[in-house]
Amino acid sequence: MEYIEALAALTMDEKIDSGALEKLLQELPDKAMNLGVRVLLSVLVLLIGIQLIKFIRRFVMRSLEKGNADKGVIQFLDSFIKAALYVILIMMIASNFGVDAASTTALLGSAGVAIGLAVQGSLSNFVGGVLILLLKPFRVGDYIKEDSKGNEGEVIEIQLFYTRLATVDNKIIILPNGTLANSSLTNVTASDSRRMDIKVGISYDSDIRRAKEVLQGVLDEDEAVLRDKDHFVYVDELAESSVQMGIRCWFSMSDYWEGKWRVTEKVKYALDEAGISIPYPQMEVHINEKS
């Protein structure tokens, strides 16, 4: 009797499994079609979303450029808008596959604290970037020297988390915004003009007055020297083997390096023509001959 009941139950289970399998096979084409449509729609949304994000970024950048916004602000906002819009696009695609947007938002919010602790450095860099844009210790195009590590170069881009510098030999230095916001730095090009100082030694046998006239003439003849600022020659130091002459003038920021190199070269030629010698370190050796 028990054997017959067990056989009947087994037959019933087989009928149930057979029915479920048959139902699954019947619904499979519809489910596959539904999944295919969702995948197709997701791909379409992705492609349209990418183009829409590019359009929004271009529109915002053009609007900021027409408003004469700082280039660093434009770059920073472009990076922020790009990241935010791609997050929204991914959430839209996920919701197409049945992921609840509200649940996803709540999950991200609950995980925010843990993520924040894990990426403290990145958050510090983000805040540093905001402070740089608000306080403007430097802008895109400025030449800066970062004092903590000695890095220096022209600012070419201010991003969400990092600032990129280009050195004079075209190397790219990437610095965290948090470091730049919390350490001292020198902005070399913040002003329109820059002072140049050159030191040159002349012999003690040379006429100091004549040397000053010659060096002053070099400054007076150089057209790039700013006339509305002090430009003069002075005695800086009575050194061991020479009289140190100081040459001081001002150039516009764009003319500084070429002006310094040019004046330095002309100083040498002018002193040579005037017969004023530039001493160099010498060592005199006296030999006592024994009789």
Side-chain angles (χ1 to χ4, degrees):
M1 188 68 179
E2 293 179 358
Y3 175 76
I4 296 174
E5 292 178 356
L7 183 61
L10 180 60
T11 305
M12 184 63 68
D13 291 338
E14 289 178 352
K15 289 182 179 179
I16 293 175
D17 292 342
S18 177
L21 181 59
E22 184 178 355
K23 182 179 180 181
L24 178 62
L25 291 175
Q26 291 176 352
E27 295 178 352
L28 184 60
D30 294 336
K31 290 184 177 181
M33 179 65 71
N34 186 24
L35 179 61
V37 171
R38 289 188 179 185
V39 171
L40 183 61
L41 288 176
S42 298
V43 173
L44 187 61
V45 169
L46 177 63
L47 295 177
I48 295 175
I50 291 175
Q51 297 302 319
L52 185 60
I53 289 173
K54 290 181 179 179
F55 173 78
I56 294 174
R57 290 172 60 196
R58 285 196 299 267
F59 176 77
V60 173
M61 291 183 67
R62 288 175 182 173
S63 300
L64 292 173
E65 288 173 354
K66 289 182 180 179
N68 295 323
D70 184 75
K71 190 173 182 180
V73 174
I74 295 175
Q75 293 174 347
F76 186 87
L77 288 178
D78 180 56
S79 299
F80 181 79
I81 291 172
K82 179 181 178 181
L85 291 179
Y86 270 108
V87 169
I88 295 174
L89 179 61
I90 292 173
M91 292 181 65
M92 290 176 61
I93 294 174
S95 64
N96 188 44
F97 287 95
V99 178
D100 188 8
S103 301
T104 304
T105 304
L107 180 62
L108 291 176
S110 62
V113 176
I115 296 174
L117 294 175
V119 294
Q120 287 183 4
S122 297
L123 291 177
S124 175
N125 293 335
F126 176 79
V127 174
V130 174
L131 291 176
I132 289 172
L133 294 176
L134 291 177
L135 302 179
K136 292 182 173 60
F138 59 83
R139 302 184 181 190
V140 174
D142 287 348
Y143 190 96
I144 65 172
K145 295 181 179 179
E146 183 261 327
D147 296 338
S148 62
K149 299 295 184 181
N151 295 302
E152 61 179 275
E154 180 184 354
V155 180
I156 58 175
E157 190 174 8
I158 303 175
Q159 297 180 340
L160 279 177
F161 303 105
Y162 297 96
T163 294
R164 299 174 64 203
L165 307 182
T167 63
V168 292
D169 55 350
N170 207 29
K171 295 178 182 177
I172 302 300
I173 300 176
I174 301 176
L175 298 175
N177 289 335
T179 300
L180 292 175
N182 295 310
S183 62
S184 59
L185 58 87
T186 302
N187 192 331
V188 179
T189 56
S191 302
D192 295 331
S193 59
R194 184 176 176 183
R195 194 182 76 189
M196 182 207 71
D197 290 281
I198 297 176
K199 303 293 177 61
V200 59
I202 64 173
S203 170
Y204 271 99
D205 297 331
S206 301
D207 187 346
I208 294 179
R209 295 185 182 88
R210 175 59 180 159
K212 291 180 68 174
E213 292 176 359
V214 171
L215 297 176
Q216 186 66 45
V218 172
L219 296 181
D220 294 338
E221 293 174 0
D222 195 289
E223 297 180 354
V225 173
L226 298 180
R227 305 302 173 188
D228 59 340
K229 293 183 178 291
D230 294 337
H231 52 286
F232 55 89
V233 180
Y234 59 95
V235 177
D236 182 67
E237 181 185 1
L238 300 178
E240 293 182 359
S241 58
S242 65
V243 178
Q244 291 292 319
M245 308 296 295
I247 306 169
R248 176 172 294 177
C249 66
W250 293 77
F251 289 106
S252 63
M253 194 60 65
S254 59
D255 294 332
Y256 177 79
W257 287 110
E258 290 186 2
K260 182 175 182 178
W261 298 331
R262 183 176 58 252
V263 169
T264 302
E265 182 178 351
K266 288 183 177 180
V267 163
K268 177 63 169 64
Y269 293 149
L271 292 178
D272 288 345
E273 292 177 1
I276 300 173
S277 62
I278 301 176
Y280 51 88
Q282 301 181 21
M283 179 181 294
E284 296 184 0
V285 179
H286 299 275
I287 301 176
N288 295 324
E289 296 182 358
K290 295 182 178 179
S291 56

